[in-house]
Amino acid sequence: MAKKSVASLQTGSKRLTKAIKMVKSPKTGAYMFVESIMNPEQVEGFLSKN
């Protein structure tokens, strides 16, 4: 289950995006959030990975 929350960040001349997704822990069954800062082109791949 992925929660899509995307915010655009700008540092100098680079444009970065912060993506947050919610993943279920296989050990406990609880949900946790995974955050990553990346290029905007990589967001779809990050969210589709499990």
Side-chain angles (χ1 to χ4, degrees), residues 9-40:
L9 306 172
Q10 287 188 335
T11 57
S13 62
K14 282 188 155 188
R15 183 163 180 214
L16 300 174
T17 303
K18 180 178 182 180
I20 304 169
K21 72 177 176 179
M22 188 169 70
V23 294
K24 190 172 186 177
S25 172
K27 214 166 154 183
T28 63
Y31 286 98
M32 58 186 178
F33 294 98
V34 178
E35 299 181 16
S36 182
I37 297 176
M38 65 196 79
N39 290 328

Side-chain angles (χ1 to χ4, degrees), residues 1-6 19-23 34 36 38 40-50:
M1 179 175 184
K3 179 179 181 180
K4 186 174 183 178
S5 175
V6 177
I20 304 169
K21 72 177 176 179
M22 188 169 70
V23 294
V34 178
S36 182
M38 65 196 79
E41 296 83 29
Q42 298 172 328
V43 172
E44 290 299 321
F46 172 75
L47 294 174
S48 64
K49 280 194 293 186
N50 205 1

